[in-house]
């Protein structure tokens, strides 16, 4: 009896073992076929060998904190269109970039953009993928950031900039005073400027000398984590589903009642929107202008939060990288200082300098262009999708649905456009007579802000801000020498698609004045 029972159990065990093994083999087989088919999809496009098998390659690049350099290495090694994932290519060709981004090119924003939603169920101008919906919201937002609005923004920038400069002067220019973390101070300034422009009041980072509501800190952590959502798209789906459960949603996403971070910012935006709606908008801020253009309160909430985040880190990184490049190049430093001195001593500029005056200072303009070019503050892939029927990019036919990533850093290193020394910081390259070449350079440079129907709305505003800050800081430097506190490690800069710099410490030392020659008398063609 016991023996036959044992036999029965044994038989079942053996049968189920075989079934299990068969399933496992089938499973592996299906999985292997899928991976095999996927990796063959773009098999003609060259790229790092491991990248064709798995998206883990991209994730590893993102985790390194230097993805911008990795993208550039890949395009330099494998060509202007290279493969970085099973379904992913990346390009550093300016012409291809322009073609992909052009309005009506057929290319649309890919699921990559789902990773930058702040609220899972509400899109905003930056994350909206549907071209029609996007152009509608863009038409409503554009007037608030461009054209006439720029003129009302300028006094706001001026006021905050003057306060900022005076806080640097009082705290850091006495002999023996502490090093100045100019990076952190720049972040504070750009957050204050964008919040004042949009909300009518600054957060107060400069005044209180701290990261108000830990906004910068949470934006940094958020970006570090969210960049993986742009590769493992399943995570977006998972989170969007989880967000349907209210209690989970509260934990996973920022919300207006948070006491810190992006959630707190949402809360502040929300309060101001409510207040302005009641008051019957009269102020000169972006919220008022959006209300008057008929945007709903909920829409303004989500659009403004993303604009605040998009517009502060990028500008701060550009100011910092331009400053670092200028102060580590004695020739550039002296030429810029001479131009600043000349303009001030001839009484050609207001205090602070106005945008239209700054446009006349050619060396200043060249430094700002070159600062942006050698350190584009946005290096995210911003993947677009190959339209129906496929497309030929460079030498390769890409099937429809392929993700095309944009290598913003690589584009700005193109030797055909900028010359063999494209990787050098040399503002003089912008001071040439050849109008055709200049045109090509400017056209390529503008890709830093994107192109076509999704081109940055804050470009003019950012340029105005950067130029002003660089000039006014140059003016401060009329009487002070600025030097990096630790020349062996000027800063640490981490890339999460946008950049976060830490420990950019400088010293400001009073100097005896020996006026270098004014800018006009220096011969730039000699460089
Ligand atoms: C140096 C500074 C900046 C850089 C390099 C930059 C870069 C970019 C880029 C490349 C895009 C295109 C995204 C895409 O591929 O779809 C973009 C979009 C955008 N940027 Fe900027 N940006 C800067 C500053 C600003 C500022 C100060 C604002 C202020 C509000 C701003 C607001 C926006 C908005 C609203 C969009 C979305 C446009 C659309 O989707 O139609 N940006 N930016
Ligand atoms: C550089 O730019 C030119 C002109 O846009 C383009 O034809 C060329 O392919 C680019 N080179 C690289 C390496 O991307
Ligand atoms: C400048 O010094 C004052 C007084 O010591 C201090 O409260 C303030 O935080 C300092 N500001 C900066 C930017 O270090
Ligand atoms: C600038 O220098 C170049 C080369 O040394 C010379 O040919 C040119 O005449 C100079 N121009 C002026 C305006 O001095």
């Amino acid at each position: 009896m016991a023996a036959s029972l044992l036999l029965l159990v044994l038989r079942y065990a053996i049968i189920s073992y075989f079934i299990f093994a068969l399933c496992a083999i089938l499973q592996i087989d299906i999985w292997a076929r899928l991976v095999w088919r996927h990796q063959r999809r773009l098999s003609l496009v060259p790229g790092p060998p491991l990248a064709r098998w798995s998206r883990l390659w991209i994730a590893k690049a993102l985790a390194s904190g230097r993805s911008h350099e990795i993208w550039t290495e890949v395009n330099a090694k494998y060509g202007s269109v290279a493969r970085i994932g099973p379904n992913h290519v990346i390009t550093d060709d300016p012409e291809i970039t322009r073609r992909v981004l052009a309005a009506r090119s057929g290319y649309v924003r890919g699921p990559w953009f789902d990773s930058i939603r702040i609220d899972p169920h509400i899109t905003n101008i930056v994350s909206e993928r549907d071209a029609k919906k996007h152009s509608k919201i863009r038409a409503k937002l554009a007037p608030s950031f461009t054209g006439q609005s720029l003129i009302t923004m300028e006094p706001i920038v001026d006021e905050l900039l003057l306060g900022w400069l005076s806080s640097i002067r009082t705290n850091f220019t006495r002999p023996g005073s502490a090093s100045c973390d100019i990076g952190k101070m720049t972040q504070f300034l750009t957050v204050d400027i964008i919040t004042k422009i949009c909300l009518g009041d600054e957060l107060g980072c400069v005044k209180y000398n701290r990261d108000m509501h830990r906004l910068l800190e949470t934006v940094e952590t958020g970006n570090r984590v969210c960049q993986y959502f742009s590769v493992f798209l399943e995570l977006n789906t998972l989170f969007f589903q989880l967000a349907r459960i209210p209690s989970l949603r509260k934990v996973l996403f920022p919300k207006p009642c948070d006491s810190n971070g992006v959630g707190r910012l949402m809360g502040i935006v929300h309060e101001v929107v409510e207040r302005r709606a009641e008051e019957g908008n009269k102020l000169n801020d972006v919220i008022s202008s959006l209300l008057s253009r008929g945007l709903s309160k909920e829409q303004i909430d989500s659009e403004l939060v993303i604009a605040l985040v998009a517009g502060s880190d990028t500008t701060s990184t550009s100011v910092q990288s331009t400053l670092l490049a200028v102060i580590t190049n004695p020739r550039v430093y002296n030429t810029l200082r001479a131009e600043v001195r000349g303009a001030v001593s001839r009484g050609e500029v207001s205090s602070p300098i106005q945008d239209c005056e700054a446009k006349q200072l050619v060396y200043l303009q060249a430094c700002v262009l070159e600062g942006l070019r050698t350190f584009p503050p946005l290096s995210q892939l911003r993947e677009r999708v190959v339209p129906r029927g496929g497309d030929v990019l460079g030498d390769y036919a890409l099937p429809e649905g392929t993700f095309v990533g944009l290598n913003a850093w690589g584009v700005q290193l193109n030797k055909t456009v900028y010359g063999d020394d494209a990787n050098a910081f040399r503002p003089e390259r912008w001071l040439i007579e050849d109008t055709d070449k200049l045109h090509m350079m400017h056209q390529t440079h503008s890709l830093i802000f994107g192109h076509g129907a999704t081109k940055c709305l804050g470009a003019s505003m950012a340029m105005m801000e950067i130029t002003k800050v660089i000039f006014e800081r140059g003016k401060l430097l009329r009487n002070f020498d600025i030097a990096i506190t630790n020349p062996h490690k000027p800063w640490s800069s981490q890339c999460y698609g946008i950049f976060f710099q830490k420990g950019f410490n400088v010293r400001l030392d009073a100097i005896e004045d020996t006026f270098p020659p004014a800018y006009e008398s220096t011969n730039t063609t000699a460089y």
Side-chain angles (χ1 to χ4, degrees):
M1 184 63 195
S4 70
L5 195 68
L6 193 69
L7 215 63
L8 201 70
V9 171
L10 210 63
R11 194 186 302 158
Y12 272 110
I14 290 169
I15 290 172
S16 48
Y17 172 78
F18 270 111
I19 291 175
F20 176 76
L22 199 69
C23 285
I25 289 168
L26 271 176
Q27 188 80 50
I28 289 170
D29 184 57
I30 289 170
W31 181 76
R33 271 166 202 266
L34 270 178
V35 172
W36 182 250
R37 202 171 326 142
H38 230 71
Q39 70 89 20
R40 281 181 46 123
R41 207 180 131 79
L42 299 167
S43 60
L44 293 177
V45 187
L50 288 175
R52 58 168 36 200
W53 294 102
S54 162
R55 289 173 291 173
L56 283 171
W57 189 91
I58 298 180
K60 186 163 165 265
L62 294 177
S64 71
R66 50 178 289 274
S67 52
H68 59 300
E69 289 169 0
I70 297 179
W71 310 147
T72 300
E73 286 159 17
V74 165
N75 279 133
K77 183 165 176 189
Y78 296 99
S80 267
V81 175
R83 183 185 193 182
I84 56 167
N87 189 37
H88 310 62
V89 299
I90 186 170
T91 182
D92 69 348
D93 187 310
E95 266 166 55
I96 294 180
T97 305
R98 211 171 296 120
R99 181 150 81 80
V100 166
L101 289 178
R104 291 179 294 278
S105 66
Y107 284 80
V108 288
R109 284 174 170 172
W112 185 98
F113 284 84
D114 289 343
S115 67
I116 49 176
R117 286 195 201 182
I118 290 179
D119 184 301
H121 300 140
I122 305 175
T123 57
N124 54 59
I125 181 168
V126 188
S127 72
E128 180 58 67
R129 289 162 56 190
D130 182 274
K132 282 217 182 78
K133 283 190 205 156
H134 175 268
S135 80
K136 250 192 210 146
I137 186 72
R138 183 174 165 98
K140 288 191 184 160
L141 285 185
S144 300
F145 294 104
T146 52
Q148 201 63 26
S149 299
L150 226 52
I151 296 165
T152 55
M153 283 175 191
E154 199 163 354
I156 297 177
V157 179
D158 290 348
E159 182 200 329
L160 291 168
L161 179 57
L162 287 179
W164 184 76
L165 287 167
S166 90
S167 109
I168 292 186
R169 201 169 315 182
T170 47
N171 284 41
F172 300 111
T173 56
R174 271 187 298 270
S177 56
S179 290
C180 169
D181 186 342
I182 197 88
K184 194 172 78 179
M185 292 201 64
T186 305
Q187 282 184 314
F188 290 174
L189 176 67
T190 57
V191 169
D192 273 5
I193 289 178
I194 191 92
T195 45
K196 179 140 190 158
I197 285 175
C198 290
L199 311 176
D201 234 333
E202 73 270 24
L203 276 194
C205 297
V206 172
K207 185 170 168 204
Y208 299 105
N209 190 29
R210 77 187 151 87
D211 178 10
M212 299 299 281
H213 316 301
R214 304 215 330 260
L215 178 68
L216 289 162
E217 187 190 320
T218 46
V219 169
E220 178 172 356
T221 324
N223 266 280
R224 193 183 344 210
V225 176
C226 287
Q227 54 176 351
Y228 299 105
F229 286 52
S230 71
V231 201
F232 301 111
L233 303 168
E234 299 80 358
L235 288 174
N236 290 313
T237 321
L238 176 72
F239 269 62
F240 293 170
Q241 294 303 329
L242 289 178
R244 286 175 196 278
I245 307 164
S247 54
L248 277 177
R249 177 174 176 157
K250 274 194 212 143
V251 184
L252 295 174
F253 292 92
K255 54 197 172 308
C257 56
D258 286 350
S259 56
N260 277 313
V262 176
R264 180 73 194 112
L265 186 65
M266 287 165 111
I268 294 173
V269 170
H270 194 73
E271 285 159 28
V272 180
V273 173
E274 294 280 331
R275 210 175 331 130
R276 290 279 185 285
E278 270 171 36
E279 286 165 0
N281 56 86
K282 284 186 204 74
L283 289 171
N284 253 341
D285 51 34
V286 172
I287 287 197
S288 304
S289 73
L290 292 181
L291 275 170
S292 69
R293 236 167 282 125
L295 262 79
S296 72
K297 288 192 237 167
E298 292 71 28
Q299 226 171 348
I300 297 180
D301 279 358
S302 64
E303 300 301 342
L304 273 194
V305 170
I306 196 79
L308 294 177
V309 175
S312 57
D313 180 83
T314 45
T315 315
S316 142
T317 296
S318 320
V319 169
Q320 292 186 55
S321 59
T322 308
L323 182 73
L324 179 61
V326 168
I327 65 182
T328 49
N329 275 281
R331 173 179 53 74
V332 176
Y333 186 99
N334 287 328
T335 313
L336 181 62
R337 183 143 68 176
E339 190 185 47
V340 170
R341 277 182 166 154
V344 174
S345 64
R346 287 191 304 274
E348 288 169 1
V349 290
S350 327
S351 181
I353 191 170
Q354 296 304 290
D355 200 31
C356 54
E357 297 162 347
K359 292 225 163 76
Q360 310 303 319
L361 302 181
V362 288
Y363 200 75
L364 173 68
Q365 295 293 335
C367 285
V368 171
L369 285 171
E370 193 69 350
L372 269 167
R373 186 186 72 82
T374 49
F375 208 107
L378 209 86
S379 70
Q380 301 166 327
L381 290 175
R382 293 150 49 217
E383 284 164 353
R384 267 52 184 188
V385 185
V386 173
R388 184 169 294 172
D391 191 17
V392 178
L393 288 188
D395 299 332
Y396 309 103
L398 304 178
E400 71 182 58
T402 306
F403 298 151
V404 180
L406 309 173
N407 178 356
W409 278 59
V411 166
Q412 301 304 326
L413 293 171
N414 185 300
K415 291 187 176 156
T416 317
V417 177
Y418 295 112
D420 286 340
D421 67 348
N423 58 358
F425 178 85
R426 191 173 63 86
E428 289 78 9
R429 79 174 75 251
W430 296 95
L431 308 175
I432 54 171
E433 305 279 298
D434 185 343
T435 45
D436 288 342
K437 185 159 175 67
L438 261 182
H439 176 72
M440 180 165 73
M441 284 164 62
H442 278 289
Q443 216 184 14
T444 304
H445 189 274
S446 73
L447 291 175
I448 294 173
F449 291 99
H451 179 69
T454 57
K455 188 179 166 119
C456 179
L457 282 180
S460 317
M461 185 186 148
M463 289 304 269
M464 182 246 285
E465 232 179 291
I466 300 165
T467 315
K468 246 185 223 290
V469 180
I470 295 293
F471 179 89
E472 289 301 322
R473 202 151 35 185
K475 217 165 82 183
L476 180 75
L477 301 183
R478 275 180 308 164
N479 306 316
F480 296 95
D481 229 349
I482 186 166
I484 294 183
T485 308
N486 179 359
H488 305 291
K489 195 170 195 300
W491 69 14
S492 78
S493 174
Q494 285 288 312
C495 170
Y496 310 118
I498 54 180
F499 293 80
F500 294 90
Q501 288 81 10
K502 298 236 164 57
F504 185 7
N505 291 312
V506 295
R507 299 190 44 76
L508 297 162
D509 296 305
I511 44 170
E512 292 302 321
D513 245 5
T514 46
F515 273 80
Y519 171 67
E520 296 90 306
S521 62
T522 59
N523 183 344
T524 53
T525 56
Y527 296 118

